[in-house]
Amino acid sequence: MATGAVPASFTGLKSRDHRGLGFGKSSDFVRVSDLQRVKFGRSKVAVIRNSNNPGSETVELKPASEGSPLLVPRQKYCESIHKTVRRKTRTVMVGNVALGSEHPIRIQTMTTTDTKDIAGTVEQVMRIADQGADLVRITVQGRKEADACFEIKNSLVQKNYNIPLVADIHFAPPVAMRVAECFDKIRVNPGNFADRRAQFEQLEYTDDDYQKELEHIEKVFSPLVEKCKKYGRAMRIGTNHGSLSDRIMSYYGDSPRGMVESAFEYARICRKLDFHNFVFSMKASNPVIMVQAYRLLVAEMNVLGWDYPLHLGVTEAGEGEDGRMKSAIGIGTLLMDGLGDTIRVSLTEPPEEEIDPCRRLANLGMKTAELQKGVAPFEEKNRRYFDFQRRSGQLPVQKEGEEVDYRGVLHRDGSVLMSVSLDQLKSPELLYKSLAAKLIVGMPFKDLATVDSILLRELPSQDDKDARLALKRLIDVSMGVITPLSEQLTKPLPNALAMVTLKELSSGAHQLLPEGTRLVVSLRGDEPQEELEILKTADATMILHHIPYSDEKTSRVHAARRLFEYLSENSLDFPVIHHIEFPKGIHRDDLVIGAGTNAGALLVDGLGDGILLESPDQEFEFLRNTSFNLLQGCRMRNTKTEYVSCPSCGRTLFDLQEISAEIRDRTSHLPGVSIAIMGCIVNGPGEMADADFGYVGGAPGKIDLYVGKTVVKRGIAMEHATDALIELIKEHGRWVDPPVEE
């Protein structure tokens, strides 16, 4: 039966070949029933008309890219491809707070207290409100928690706290009905509100079977919609990548398409009942999946003429800089596209600690949209924004007669470049260590997470033998040393790479260098096309894409997209490194968020081959770690253990922050291994879709261990659970002993 689907609410469907098209009995459900033929046999799949607006253009569905099973509208997913313009939405009222494009981006978090602990929850909500949050979500898992919500609300009102409260509901329609009488907004998870918990079974459905399940959802969900209408409540239809139902996964797979369709089933019921005070979310722990799902959601809403606001978030992002980076990559990417009306930065930290990075991210998004930062209009044909396809630049190849090996100056999975000063050259061994090189008898060698190349803006003098020897040793182990053309002409360093501008390239100044000198071209990406033409004849090892941080009007994201479009159209495969110079005095969180947003927005689309971050007063190690975190967060280069760590809530069955720190301390040296640390299993094992191993609260004081989505050990006493997790990793051949410090 059907294995692929397109959104419905359309009255007409046309195709040049009707043999592959199946129709459900309801006009709200139209499916493409022969996905194999669609996938391989044709590029134009179907034409559909918007039933809400019969006079609108016909909209064509097509594979997201050649050979892709994902069918997407050829409709835009953002207001502009060349600048940040905020997507126009309706206003949704959550208590006294308005969400939507006419209002500031709202920031929110979630309590971690036991909801039955009324005093503790009230105190935490007050601390969160005092930090400046606009909304607070509280988990409501049962009748006792629902009853407590009335007292929580009343207590807050008595203390003059009117911050809107959001009930987080899973599996419990009667609980949602109860709490809708006192809270301002209800979050429902369409993966488990009316469906059973996913068993990850491949199910076969007839059209009648599928229609009966939709009717069951409508029967269970409609009373809550009617109650929200009666009481003036808002709703979030919040899909989670990890908790899609078996029915959805059987049709669409564990995919962005399934996430969108899961939410649309509920949205159609809301619309049928003339309820429109709702928002959507499409959360995933993988920023790449999360970005694709939101873009697909908006593209399909545009087809349907819907204008509901978006709640953005990367779920289970983790803690510290890792959590902030993952959130910046996912949320920041969408904000640069003008998408998003309320955001949450999910961290494995106290909820009030989420507010500051959340505000910084929201402010970055609003400022960019207010300035409409961008570049001159250009046509975009090559970026794949619905399904990830990495554009891999041509890595350096060895040329005949070269004295050193240049093949290591860039890494195939993503490169990290660092800016080095003359002062650092005074202590060569410290420099080697700061570059994360292995030292053997004082000599540097590249390791798993060693910096690939360095930028040296000023060369040591010719008579500084020690500094030049230190650089020679780096060059000898295939680390690139990049220096400006003027430095290389006046104080030449053998086998260094010369950095040139487009102007220097056009003038021929680089021809004064010794024959065979490797070139690195630094450019903005928004230059007139005639200036870029010189690239067609250039023999460059890499491009550094660089927009000054002080440039208030130019968006480095859009300038880079324009550059990549030019390179693709002219079949130029230079590797491109995202070079960002941050100003002196920048806050660490702003640097992480700025890097995640401005470079991550490109890397999640497969655009870019590495990163070079500079900041004059930040620690070298912090910049290096941030760079590697960025590449790993964009699913490129894996240099350490990946953690999928939930932010904790009232359902959490252990001290998540303490246990997370303990597990990280003992397992952080396992690159390529992904570990989920989950306070409970409310969203199902699918919440750990990205993880190899899972450590999950099963009952108070008891831990269940997972391999992938399968539970393999249950009820382990918490004091023995970390040891049991390590044994499980060893059993599966993924363990190595931690490296011994020299």
Side-chain angles (χ1 to χ4, degrees):
M1 287 306 298
T3 53
V6 296
S9 299
F10 298 103
T11 53
L13 181 97
K14 299 179 182 178
S15 172
R16 295 174 185 169
D17 175 4
H18 293 279
R19 288 173 294 172
L21 299 176
F23 293 83
K25 290 188 177 180
S26 163
S27 63
D28 280 342
F29 188 65
V30 181
R31 295 199 302 277
V32 176
S33 56
D34 185 359
L35 188 58
Q36 291 302 309
R37 180 182 59 73
V38 170
K39 181 177 178 182
F40 298 111
R42 59 197 297 180
S43 59
K44 294 186 178 179
V45 178
V47 174
I48 46 184
R49 290 186 185 276
N50 182 349
S51 61
N52 296 326
N53 185 6
S56 68
E57 290 184 17
T58 17
V59 179
E60 186 178 295
L61 292 186
K62 65 185 182 77
S65 57
E66 189 174 350
S68 171
L70 176 63
L71 311 182
V72 297
R74 298 189 75 166
Q75 198 84 348
K76 64 181 182 179
Y77 76 91
C78 59
E79 295 295 313
S80 170
I81 64 160
H82 63 88
K83 63 182 177 180
T84 300
V85 179
R86 199 161 168 198
R87 169 180 168 259
K88 296 296 182 187
T89 75
R90 68 176 62 227
T91 292
V92 166
M93 294 303 300
V94 185
N96 58 357
V97 171
L99 296 183
S101 58
E102 300 304 312
H103 311 283
I105 295 171
R106 304 299 186 181
I107 57 181
Q108 57 178 286
T109 185
M110 188 173 185
T111 58
T112 57
T113 53
D114 181 341
T115 306
K116 297 190 298 296
D117 176 4
I118 295 165
T121 302
V122 167
E123 285 297 319
Q124 193 172 70
V125 171
M126 290 166 58
R127 289 198 301 273
I128 290 167
D130 289 343
Q131 289 295 317
D134 298 304
L135 308 167
V136 181
R137 183 159 42 117
I138 298 174
T139 188
V140 190
Q141 60 265 55
R143 183 80 185 191
K144 290 180 181 177
E145 287 82 5
D147 290 342
C149 288
F150 285 82
E151 295 188 53
I152 290 168
K153 181 72 171 180
N154 289 336
S155 181
L156 286 166
V157 170
Q158 289 169 14
K159 297 174 185 289
N160 291 318
Y161 281 82
N162 294 309
I163 186 168
L165 303 179
V166 183
D168 194 58
I169 303 292
H170 299 266
F171 302 112
V175 173
M177 292 290 288
R178 171 77 170 143
V179 79
E181 295 175 13
C182 68
F183 273 17
D184 304 282
K185 182 180 176 186
I186 309 296
R187 180 273 171 120
V188 297
N189 183 341
N192 61 32
F193 186 80
D195 286 292
R196 63 175 184 160
R197 187 193 301 276
Q199 305 300 308
F200 305 99
E201 299 171 346
Q202 184 68 29
L203 304 177
E204 293 291 331
Y205 287 91
T206 65
D207 288 346
D208 284 345
D209 291 338
Y210 203 102
Q211 188 59 35
K212 284 176 183 175
E213 294 229 4
L214 294 179
E215 289 167 1
H216 168 69
I217 292 171
E218 186 168 350
K219 182 179 178 181
V220 173
F221 183 54
S222 292
L224 177 61
V225 176
E226 295 287 13
K227 195 154 200 176
C228 286
K229 280 182 68 177
K230 177 182 176 181
Y231 284 90
R233 307 306 186 202
M235 187 182 291
R236 168 159 68 97
I237 300 173
T239 304
N240 273 24
H241 178 227
S243 56
L244 299 175
S245 68
D246 285 331
R247 175 178 48 79
I248 285 289
M249 286 194 286
S250 294
Y251 267 86
Y252 307 98
D254 186 10
S255 66
R257 164 67 68 199
M259 294 170 69
V260 173
E261 183 58 29
S262 181
F264 273 18
E265 289 178 351
Y266 281 70
R268 291 180 192 121
I269 296 167
C270 291
R271 289 176 59 82
K272 182 177 178 180
L273 297 172
D274 197 28
F275 177 70
H276 301 280
N277 201 44
F278 66 88
V279 305
F280 283 113
S281 67
M282 299 275 126
K283 293 194 178 184
S285 59
N286 179 337
V288 177
I289 295 289
M290 173 263 198
V291 167
Q292 290 169 5
Y294 276 103
R295 286 172 171 172
L296 188 59
L297 170 75
V298 175
E300 298 205 2
M301 277 205 284
N302 287 343
V303 172
L304 294 164
W306 294 2
D307 61 353
Y308 301 103
L310 301 178
H311 167 126
L312 305 184
V314 176
T315 190
E316 284 94 35
E319 64 186 17
E321 284 150 21
D322 285 2
R324 286 160 175 77
M325 178 60 79
K326 271 192 191 176
S327 292
I329 293 166
I331 298 171
T333 295
L334 295 166
L335 291 176
M336 292 301 101
D337 284 328
L339 307 181
D341 304 287
T342 177
I343 65 176
R344 182 198 175 186
V345 174
S346 299
L347 301 174
T348 310
E349 298 176 19
E352 52 268 37
E353 298 295 319
E354 294 182 357
I355 302 305
D356 182 63
C358 194
R359 181 185 295 110
R360 292 176 189 275
L361 197 45
N363 287 345
L364 177 62
M366 285 191 290
K367 180 181 179 182
T368 304
E370 285 165 9
L371 294 172
Q372 293 203 350
K373 292 181 78 166
V375 293
F378 65 96
E379 186 178 4
E380 190 172 52
K381 302 176 186 175
N382 295 283
R383 182 165 62 99
R384 301 296 183 188
Y385 35 77
F386 288 123
D387 62 336
F388 180 82
Q389 287 191 358
R390 186 178 167 202
R391 171 205 178 270
S392 293
Q394 174 62 54
L395 293 172
V397 294
Q398 200 65 13
K399 298 177 182 178
E400 189 177 345
E402 288 185 323
E403 299 173 356
V404 298
D405 188 351
Y406 286 101
R407 290 173 294 182
V409 304
L410 295 175
H411 193 284
R412 67 171 185 267
D413 296 326
S415 305
V416 169
L417 282 68
M418 295 288 293
S419 179
V420 169
S421 68
L422 283 180
D423 279 347
Q424 288 173 283
L425 287 173
K426 293 174 182 176
S427 305
E429 286 200 15
L430 286 178
L431 172 62
Y432 302 153
K433 286 181 180 178
S434 69
L435 295 170
K438 240 182 194 174
L439 282 181
I440 300 177
V441 199
M443 300 289 286
F445 291 88
K446 280 194 169 181
D447 203 357
L448 182 72
T450 305
V451 170
D452 299 290
S453 292
I454 62 172
L455 171 63
L456 195 62
R457 294 187 182 279
E458 185 180 355
L459 283 173
S461 63
Q462 295 282 14
D463 56 4
D464 190 342
K465 304 299 183 187
D466 291 341
R468 288 187 164 250
L469 178 61
L471 291 171
K472 180 183 184 301
R473 285 177 173 165
L474 292 175
I475 291 171
D476 286 344
V477 295
S478 200
M479 184 177 291
V481 176
I482 303 167
T483 188
L485 174 64
S486 58
E487 288 292 296
Q488 192 62 0
L489 287 173
T490 55
K491 295 177 282 186
L493 177 71
N495 303 308
L497 294 86
M499 182 172 69
V500 297
T501 64
L502 285 178
K503 187 175 181 181
E504 289 169 334
L505 202 58
S506 298
S507 71
H510 62 289
Q511 294 172 5
L512 298 172
L513 294 166
E515 187 178 350
T517 299
R518 295 270 186 162
L519 298 181
V520 174
V521 182
S522 179
L523 51 77
R524 292 173 53 98
D526 63 347
E527 293 91 350
Q529 184 143 328
E530 53 270 22
E531 290 185 23
L532 294 173
E533 292 291 298
I534 189 66
L535 293 175
K536 293 179 180 179
T537 55
D539 182 14
T541 300
M542 70 183 90
I543 288 174
L544 298 185
H545 176 250
H546 178 247
I547 298 282
Y549 198 85
S550 57
D551 191 326
E552 286 284 330
K553 289 297 289 182
T554 306
S555 160
R556 77 170 325 279
V557 171
H558 295 89
R561 287 176 181 169
R562 178 180 182 271
L563 171 63
F564 283 109
E565 193 65 33
Y566 177 84
L567 296 176
S568 295
E569 283 296 292
N570 291 282
S571 302
L572 300 174
D573 57 2
F574 303 121
V576 178
I577 305 300
H578 299 298
H579 180 194
I580 308 177
E581 275 188 273
F582 292 97
K584 189 173 183 179
I586 190 169
H587 190 281
R588 276 193 170 202
D589 279 359
D590 283 330
L591 189 149
V592 171
I593 287 166
T597 297
N598 286 294
L602 297 155
L603 296 175
V604 294
D605 283 336
L607 302 178
D609 300 273
I611 186 77
L612 167 56
L613 303 180
E614 292 190 82
S615 185
D617 52 359
Q618 293 290 351
E619 293 174 5
F620 195 85
E621 185 179 6
F622 166 70
L623 292 172
R624 188 193 72 226
N625 290 339
T626 299
S627 300
F628 279 108
N629 287 347
L630 174 56
L631 294 181
Q632 185 152 331
C634 292
R635 294 306 196 264
M636 292 176 67
R637 187 170 173 181
N638 235 310
T639 51
K640 63 180 183 180
T641 313
E642 181 76 14
Y643 296 98
V644 179
S645 179
C646 83
S648 185
C649 71
R651 292 183 173 89
T652 302
L653 297 167
F654 55 84
D655 187 329
L656 195 66
Q657 294 170 48
E658 181 183 327
I659 295 298
S660 177
E662 177 186 319
I663 292 172
R664 285 169 183 264
D665 184 57
R666 298 182 62 184
T667 63
S668 61
H669 63 287
L670 302 172
V673 173
S674 179
I675 300 172
I677 308 168
M678 312 291 283
C680 70
I681 199 59
V682 66
N683 284 321
E687 201 62 70
M688 301 177 295
D690 269 353
D692 301 311
F693 303 96
Y695 179 109
V696 183
K702 301 291 183 182
I703 299 299
D704 298 338
L705 296 181
Y706 285 72
V707 175
K709 298 174 182 176
T710 305
V711 62
V712 293
K713 295 184 180 181
R714 290 188 185 274
I716 301 168
M718 189 176 298
E719 57 268 28
H720 304 305
T722 302
D723 288 333
L725 172 65
I726 290 171
E727 283 304 311
L728 187 63
I729 296 171
K730 288 179 178 178
E731 287 170 19
H732 284 78
R734 305 293 298 277
W735 180 265
V736 295
D737 289 328
V740 178
E741 286 290 328
E742 291 183 27

